[in-house]
DNA sequence: CATTTATAAATTTTT
DNA sequence: TTTATAAATG
């Protein structure tokens, strides 16, 4: 496509943003105003102007967003060129840069990245080692500790302030919490393991304090940042450091769509941007191309009640006589039934399932609907909520891969060893010591607060002795020790441990002491490909899973899927970090692989729906307590963010929008009962807002007693009797 | 020291 | 319902 033709498709504001030259540019882009298109065109335009593609850095909120923008840029110019652009999330880019330049800040290139639940496990470990687990007064649980820690570092706010404002219940524990954090950071550095926050912190340090980092920063002639309203203090500092010498920066965002303050995002970042970068040019995009006028009117009405005025008012030329609908249902069952009905009706009319989405505040809100969809054989794909890699069995395999990649990763070793029957925490600890997993000098880490170090020493420690020649490293590696001098294990665990040892060493093609000598001379066996390694590890896990999980078949299928994913990779470290930083978000339990490129309905949390759009959007559970969520109502700011969240949900719709309100909620959270409460309509649906909706009241649905229910007793009898009638095979 | 059993507690959003 | 901890048992 020629330059002139695609520039001609932009409106004057978009075009100004695309053609802006050097310096700082702030684009305030309302929902549906062609933000993605503008960024993609700007990237294409920069390249066409002669900027080297690998001198462009595009920071986005998800990998999906980066991929989409670069794909679009590629269509305008040359896909090969667009592919050279550095695109990804802050975390993914940090990971990539630190693999190359990490040594400057004390990181060995094979550091591993752990996700939030791994981090919580580490917290738990240090917590119990410090003897804080069992006391009269309740000490924060591991998830809470991570939340406190993450808020402290991401907001760059003193611990005491964080506790005072967000976790008042634990204010008295400040000193102990500080000890836990000390031990936590020390532990991570010793093992060359980074959590999500570390990726940002190390990146910041890299470009602020090292020559290598400064050179890397200056290589980027242009930096572009998407969803700037959802960046936090550390990310803002990274940008400042990145642009200390080369000042070309372009950020895009919408203060009305800031929905990540729980991750310490600061709307202030976008509002203060012109002060941070003097001479900033501001462009505002206000024409919405996505939604029909009535949908936009309803969305705007929700925002009009916000305390804070926002910087723009959206308008649309897409006229329509169809108002958004507010559907009153008797209960959840009515809601699910109606959605199924409408979704299928839409499909009859030619709207594909993937053009329709159901949005909700919390992941579990879709539980009932999921069951209903499954029952009716309507395929769907769920975004948000429990991720594939968070499932215990996937973590098991990932831990094995991590051990291979970073043999000093104690947490992964721990997980791997505890899988063995007859091995508990104590034995695991001893085995790890025998293997030399702990790379720090003896006595370096201690339980108890006495050996506390001065605050300055928390920061990244020296690179481990790994910088020596690889050969000598190998001889000292725990895996080499595992091959040459396997530690003794309790008799109950001998076989299981041997199996583990065999699996790990096979993956590295290390010969075991006591193996028959290799036949092909003294040439070393070559290391198997990654897919083969994963397959080997899966075979190792198979018998363990059969004993441990009752639904082991489903779980094993997940591992096969992992194997398929792995076959697309050549580097193990790449696979591990991609799985941690950009996890596939479905398990095969429901969204089976068979219809991966088939048509399916989208189910998504509102957070995960950010940046997406669909022809028809269904927003469910619009009751007070769900939207806004009860959990967020402790302060006014929380309420305001819930309002923006609701706004984000509504503005995802192109042609059709329906908001559902089930009146009755049953208490079957923990067990079944007929008791129920009556819900209140979401407080965001005030009279003036409702005036812009068409209200429909749905008839009571006769809850269809599941046909299979009648057959259930017989099925149960058959299954039971098979236990004693069928001979074991 | 590992494992089983009893008892109590919690319950959003995501890189 | 699940998930974590404490006490009892092997």
């Amino acid at each position: 496509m020629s330059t002139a033709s695609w520039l001609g498709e932009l409106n004057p504001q978009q075009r100004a943003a695309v053609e802006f030259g050097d310096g700082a540019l702030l684009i305030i882009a309302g929902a549906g105003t062609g933000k993605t298109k503008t960024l993609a065109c700007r990237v294409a335009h920069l390249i066409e102007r002669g900027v080297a593609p690998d001198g462009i850095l595009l920071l986005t909120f998800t990998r999906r967003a980066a991929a989409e923008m670069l794909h679009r840029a590629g269509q305008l110019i040359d896909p090969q060129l667009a592919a050279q652009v550095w695109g990804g999330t802050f975390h993914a880019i940090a990971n990539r840069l630190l693999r190359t330049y990490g040594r400057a800040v004390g990181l060995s290139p094979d550091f591993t990245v752990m996700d939030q639940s791994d981090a919580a496990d580490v917290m738990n470990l240090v917590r119990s080692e410090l003897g804080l687990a069992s006391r009269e007064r309740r000490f924060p649980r591991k998830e809470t500790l991570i939340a406190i820690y993450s808020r402290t570092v991401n907001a760059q706010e003193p611990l005491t302030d964080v506790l005072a404002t967000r976790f008042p219940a634990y204010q008295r524990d400040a000193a102990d919490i500080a000890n836990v954090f000390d031990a936590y950071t020390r532990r991570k550095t010793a093992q060359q393991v980074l959590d999500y926050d570390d990726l940002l912190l190390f990146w910041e340090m890299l470009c602020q304090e090292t020559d290598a980092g400064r050179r890397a920063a200056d290589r980027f002639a242009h930096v572009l940042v998407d969803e700037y309203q959802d960046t936090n203090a550390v990310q803002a500092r990274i940008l400042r450091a990145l642009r200390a010498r080369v000042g070309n920066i372009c950020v895009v965002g919408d203060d009305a769509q800031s929905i990540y303050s729980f991750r310490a995002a600061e709307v202030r970042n976008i509002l203060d941007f012109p002060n941070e970068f003097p001479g900033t040019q501001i462009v505002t995009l206000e024409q919405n191309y996505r939604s029909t006028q009535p949908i936009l009117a309803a969305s705007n009405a929700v925002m009009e009640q916000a305390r804070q005025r926002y910087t723009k008012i959206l308008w649309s030329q897409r006229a329509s006589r169809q108002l958004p609908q507010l559907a009153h249902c008797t209960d959840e069952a009515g809601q699910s039934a109606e959605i199924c009905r409408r979704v299928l009706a839409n499909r009859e009319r030619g709207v594909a399932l993937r053009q329709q989405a159901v949005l909700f505040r919390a992941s579990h809100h879709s539980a009932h609907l999921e069951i209903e969809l499954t029952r009716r054989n309507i395929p769907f794909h769920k975004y948000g909520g429990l991720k594939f890699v968070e499932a215990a069995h996937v973590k098991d395999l990932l831990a094995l891969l991590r051990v291979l990649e970073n043999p000093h990763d104690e947490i992964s070793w721990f997980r791997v060893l505890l899988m063995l029957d007859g091995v508990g925490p104590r034995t695991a600890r001893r085995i790890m010591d025998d293997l030399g997993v702990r790379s720090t000098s003896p006595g370096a880490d201690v339980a108890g607060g006495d050996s506390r170090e001065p605050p300055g020493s928390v920061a990244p420690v020296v690179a481990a002795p790994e910088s020596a020649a690889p050969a000598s490293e190998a001889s000292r590696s725990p895996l080499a020790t595992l091959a040459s001098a396997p530690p003794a294990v309790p008799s109950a665990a001998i076989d299981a441990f041997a199996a583990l040892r065999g699996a790990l060493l096979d993956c590295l093609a290390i010969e075991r002491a006591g193996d028959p000598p290799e036949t092909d001379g003294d040439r070393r066996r070559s290391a198997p490909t990654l897919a083969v390694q994963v397959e080997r590890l899966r075979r190792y896990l198979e018998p363990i899973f059969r004993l441990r999980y009752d639904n082991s078949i489903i779980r094993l299928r997940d591992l096969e899927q992992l194997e398929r994913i792995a076959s697309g990779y050549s580097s193990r470290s790449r696979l591990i970090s991609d799985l941690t930083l950009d996890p596939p978000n479905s398990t095969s339990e429901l969204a089976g692989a068979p219809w991966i490129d088939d048509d399916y309905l989208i189910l998504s949390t509102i957070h995960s729906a950010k940046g997406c759009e669909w022809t028809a959007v269904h927003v469910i559970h619009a009751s007070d307590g769900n939207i806004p969520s009860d959990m967020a109502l402790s302060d006014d700011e929380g309420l305001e963010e819930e309002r923006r969240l609701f706004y984000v949900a509504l503005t995802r719709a192109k042609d059709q929008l329906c908001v559902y309100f089930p009146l009755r909620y049953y208490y079957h959270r923990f067990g079944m009962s007929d008791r129920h409460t009556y819900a209140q309509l979401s407080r965001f649906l005030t009279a003036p807002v409702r005036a812009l909706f068409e209200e429909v009241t749905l008839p009571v649905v006769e809850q269809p007693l599941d046909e299979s229910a009648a057959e259930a007793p017989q099925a149960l009898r058959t299954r039971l009797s098979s236990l004693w009638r069928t001979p074991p095979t």
Side-chain angles (χ1 to χ4, degrees), chain A residues 470-471 474 480 483 505 507-511 518 520-527:
Chain A
L505 297 182
C507 287
L508 295 175
I510 296 178
E511 281 173 44
E518 282 293 312
D520 51 348
D522 55 2
R523 224 165 356 121
R524 282 188 71 173
R525 290 186 284 174
S526 57

Side-chain angles (χ1 to χ4, degrees), chain A residues 408-419:
Chain A
H408 295 287
D409 182 339
E410 284 185 72
I411 300 303
S412 297
W413 269 112
F414 205 66
R415 186 177 187 105
V416 164
L417 292 172
L418 281 185
M419 274 191 268

Side-chain angles (χ1 to χ4, degrees), chain A residues 234-561:
Chain A
V234 179
Q235 290 167 320
R237 286 157 64 142
I238 290 173
L239 288 182
R240 223 175 303 151
L242 268 179
R243 297 294 77 179
R245 290 159 302 279
V246 184
N248 301 330
I249 181 169
C250 161
V251 304
V252 189
D254 177 5
D255 47 347
Q257 290 185 71
S258 140
I259 54 174
Y260 275 90
S261 69
F262 72 93
R263 241 171 70 180
E266 289 279 0
V267 201
R268 244 193 0 231
N269 282 352
I270 195 165
L271 301 175
D272 288 351
F273 185 81
N275 304 329
E276 284 293 333
F277 294 90
T280 293
Q281 163 112 23
I282 303 178
V283 173
T284 307
L285 306 181
E286 293 182 304
Q287 180 174 0
N288 176 304
Y289 295 93
R290 177 187 297 157
S291 310
T292 62
Q293 206 283 321
I295 290 176
L296 205 52
S299 315
N300 283 339
V302 167
M303 283 317 271
E304 254 159 53
Q305 324 209 323
R307 269 192 320 169
Q308 188 192 346
R309 290 285 113 208
Y310 289 96
T311 36
K312 72 225 152 302
I313 295 164
L314 298 188
W315 56 280
S316 164
Q317 288 183 331
R318 297 196 52 215
S320 166
R321 263 174 306 166
Q322 194 189 349
L323 295 183
Q325 289 191 319
L326 174 57
H328 296 261
C329 327
T330 45
D331 54 15
E332 252 197 301
Q335 177 178 256
S336 300
E338 181 64 9
I339 286 179
C340 292
R341 198 184 66 73
R342 289 183 183 224
V343 163
L344 292 177
N346 272 336
R347 189 170 61 173
E348 290 300 304
R349 260 179 278 145
V351 184
L353 291 180
R354 38 191 338 163
Q355 278 305 312
Q356 309 185 52
V358 179
L359 305 184
F360 35 86
R361 172 65 177 87
S363 174
H364 67 262
H365 286 167
S366 65
H368 187 283
L369 178 63
E370 287 173 45
I371 293 168
E372 195 61 18
L373 290 168
T374 311
R375 201 176 67 83
R376 301 190 193 210
N377 286 320
I378 302 175
F380 65 90
H381 196 124
K382 182 171 170 179
Y383 292 90
L386 187 71
K387 300 248 165 70
F388 181 64
V389 287
E390 273 162 46
H393 53 288
V394 180
K395 295 196 81 104
D396 289 339
L397 195 135
L398 220 48
L400 286 163
L401 286 172
R402 283 218 175 92
V403 160
L404 292 170
E405 192 60 27
N406 176 0
H408 295 287
D409 182 339
E410 284 185 72
I411 300 303
S412 297
W413 269 112
F414 205 66
R415 186 177 187 105
V416 164
L417 292 172
L418 281 185
M419 274 191 268
L420 308 176
D421 257 353
V423 175
R426 207 72 179 220
T427 314
R429 177 89 268 155
R430 204 216 69 231
I431 294 176
M432 281 160 60
D433 286 345
D434 286 357
L435 289 173
V437 169
R438 208 187 303 220
S439 55
T440 44
S441 49
D445 92 318
V446 196
D450 313 11
S451 65
R452 219 177 310 148
E453 292 169 41
S457 67
V458 173
V461 176
V462 257
E466 257 94 50
S467 34
S472 70
E473 187 223 326
S475 62
R476 251 180 294 144
S477 148
L479 291 167
T481 312
L482 182 69
S484 55
V489 295
S491 55
I494 287 179
D495 290 347
F497 188 70
L500 169 65
R501 179 164 171 257
L504 289 176
L505 297 182
D506 279 352
C507 287
L508 295 175
I510 296 178
E511 281 173 44
R512 282 160 267 181
D515 268 0
E518 282 293 312
T519 43
D520 51 348
D522 55 2
R523 224 165 356 121
R524 282 188 71 173
R525 290 186 284 174
S526 57
T529 66
L530 183 58
V532 174
Q533 292 177 32
V534 174
E535 197 251 324
R536 179 70 183 86
L537 296 176
R538 179 175 63 81
R539 274 194 292 119
Y540 160 71
L541 288 172
E542 221 172 285
I544 298 177
F545 282 8
R546 282 193 205 290
L547 290 177
R548 206 157 58 132
Y549 301 119
D550 44 7
N551 56 352
S552 57
I553 297 165
I554 296 170
R555 291 173 188 263
L556 285 167
R557 215 184 311 138
D558 278 349
L559 294 196
E560 281 169 31
Q561 196 177 327

Side-chain angles (χ1 to χ4, degrees), chain A residues 30 45 49 76 142 178 190 204 206 232 284 321 327 402 419 445 467 474 497 599-600 619 629 685:
Chain A
H45 189 252
R49 251 183 42 199
L76 298 175
K142 58 182 183 179
E204 185 196 351
L206 181 72
N232 63 32
T284 307
R321 263 174 306 166
R402 283 218 175 92
M419 274 191 268
D445 92 318
S467 34
F497 188 70
D599 196 21
Y600 47 81
V619 181
S629 164
L685 292 165

